């Protein structure tokens, strides 16, 4: 649906992360939009900015062309 709406593939990534509250792995869709990264998450009813989610620790991201390892900030 996001592709149909015009979002480029390069602006969308699946992010595999650790939910630090529940202590379980989880995955979300991150979409770059308007100088922000919006998170689509089946555990949250709204689309939210990545800045508003503090209990997720990203591990790696993928899209159709690339993958990225996330290194924790110290």
């Amino acid at each position: 649906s996001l592709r149909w709406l015009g979002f480029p593939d390069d602006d969308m990534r699946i992010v595999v992360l650790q939910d630090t509250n529940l202590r379980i792995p989880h995955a979300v869709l991150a979409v770059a939009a308007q100088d922000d990264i919006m998170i689509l998450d089946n555990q949250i009813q709204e689309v939210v900015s990545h800045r508003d989610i503090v209990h997720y620790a990203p591990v790696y991201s993928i899209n159709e062309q690339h993958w990225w390892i996330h290194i924790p900030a110290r």
Side-chain angles (χ1 to χ4, degrees), residues 44-70:
I44 302 172
Q45 290 189 8
E46 306 89 27
V47 176
V48 297
S49 169
H50 75 286
R51 295 179 189 105
D52 296 332
I53 303 174
V54 296
H55 65 285
Y56 287 167
V59 178
Y60 67 92
S61 300
I62 59 171
N63 68 10
E64 290 183 336
Q65 303 297 322
H66 305 285
W67 62 273
W68 299 265
I69 295 290
H70 297 272

Side-chain angles (χ1 to χ4, degrees), residues 5 9 17 19 31 52 57 68:
L5 290 170
D9 291 343
L17 49 87
D19 182 322
V31 181
D52 296 332
W68 299 265

Side-chain angles (χ1 to χ4, degrees), residues 9-35:
D9 291 343
D10 286 342
D11 288 351
M12 296 184 282
R13 298 178 185 177
I14 299 293
V15 182
V16 176
L17 49 87
Q18 184 71 19
D19 182 322
T20 59
N21 285 347
L22 300 176
R23 297 183 181 181
I24 60 170
H26 183 52
V28 298
L29 178 64
V31 181
Q34 301 172 350
D35 298 324

